[in-house]
Amino acid sequence: MALKATNGDQRLLLTLQDVDTRIMRLLAKRRALPQTKRIEELDAQLAVLDRAVLDRLGALDDVSAEVRRIESDVQLVEARLAKDRTRLETVTDSKTATATEHEIVTLERRRSTLEDLELEAMQTQEDAEAALAAARAEAGAARAERERLAAERDEQAAGIEAELAEARAERDERAAPVPADLLALYERQRERYGIGATLLQRRTSVASGVELTASELHQIRQAPDDEVILDPNSSAILVRTEESGI
């Protein structure tokens, strides 16, 4: 059995659809804020940059530990050299003196090697510090850009949210006087097809932009004013007014 509703009640759906359309546009506008795409790109970039910072920090820790190890070895060699030199000043046995002198030469050679290694490690450490600073600077610049864009996006989103709150309050007001069964049909069609009601204007459905056929128009003319009709093209409730041209 066809749903019945006065033409006046059916016309209420057009104002309800107007505000629902506005809400849909605001939601789409919120999703399509210009900063969103760039923020997503920066989030992906920051994941890589932060990983690079951690990797370079780890490399710096490794080379710093190597520098400390070599410095410790140098100190041990120098302590041993100092001990041998002191011993050489007091030793009287020639064999012991020769052995001590040989050890001093070996230790000096070892110290020289360690000093060369220390210089290389310190240069590597300096390079690692520069690489870490560069990685931190790049990540910092990307994070600063993201924070700036996020602030801009949030400010714009707040404006849209205010408009949405106003539109939703208006929707509640416009839906209140609509009969429950008519409103339920409207909501069902809107959920399924994206639009719940449309005006028949000059024999054309505003929702679909398609002019109805002669057969369809004939059926509509024969239908009582209080019969709820669905648009054959958009499946929305087709509201007839003096603009319909029938």
Side-chain angles (χ1 to χ4, degrees), residues 75 94 152:
Q75 291 174 359
S94 60
E152 292 178 2

Side-chain angles (χ1 to χ4, degrees), residues 124-141:
T124 303
Q125 182 183 41
E126 184 178 334
D127 293 342
E129 288 171 346
L132 175 60
R136 281 175 168 166
E138 189 175 1

Side-chain angles (χ1 to χ4, degrees), residues 197-208:
T198 183
L199 173 65
L200 176 60
Q201 185 179 56
R202 293 188 292 276
R203 299 182 297 278
T204 299
S205 162
V206 171
S208 65

Side-chain angles (χ1 to χ4, degrees), residues 200 203 211-225 229 240 244-246:
L200 176 60
R203 299 182 297 278
E211 184 174 351
L212 273 64
T213 66
S215 175
E216 290 166 342
L217 289 170
H218 176 72
Q219 291 180 8
I220 292 172
R221 290 189 189 100
Q222 299 305 309
D225 286 346
I229 300 171
R240 293 161 286 170
S244 298
I246 59 172

Side-chain angles (χ1 to χ4, degrees), residues 73-88:
D73 287 349
V74 170
Q75 291 174 359
L76 289 174
V77 170
E78 288 180 341
R80 184 65 180 272
L81 274 170
K83 181 179 179 181
D84 282 354
R85 284 170 179 154
T86 299
R87 182 185 180 190
L88 187 61

Side-chain angles (χ1 to χ4, degrees), residues 24-34 36-37 160:
M24 286 189 297
R25 288 172 178 167
L26 287 169
L27 291 172
K29 183 179 179 181
R30 185 177 65 182
R31 289 191 299 269
L33 285 172
T36 301
K37 182 178 180 181
I160 294 173

Side-chain angles (χ1 to χ4, degrees), residues 125-197:
Q125 182 183 41
E126 184 178 334
D127 293 342
E129 288 171 346
L132 175 60
R136 281 175 168 166
E138 189 175 1
R143 187 163 282 106
E145 182 183 358
R146 189 201 185 284
E147 290 173 356
R148 176 181 61 80
L149 290 173
E152 292 178 2
R153 178 199 59 189
D154 292 346
E155 182 178 357
Q156 292 183 21
I160 294 173
E161 287 298 334
E163 292 184 66
L164 277 169
E166 182 179 342
R168 284 166 175 155
E170 183 180 348
R171 185 190 197 279
D172 291 341
E173 293 177 2
R174 294 188 178 188
V178 180
D181 53 354
L182 181 61
L183 181 61
L185 176 61
Y186 168 86
E187 297 288 19
R188 185 168 66 248
Q189 299 307 101
R190 186 175 67 88
E191 182 177 348
R192 287 179 179 175
Y193 306 108
I195 186 165

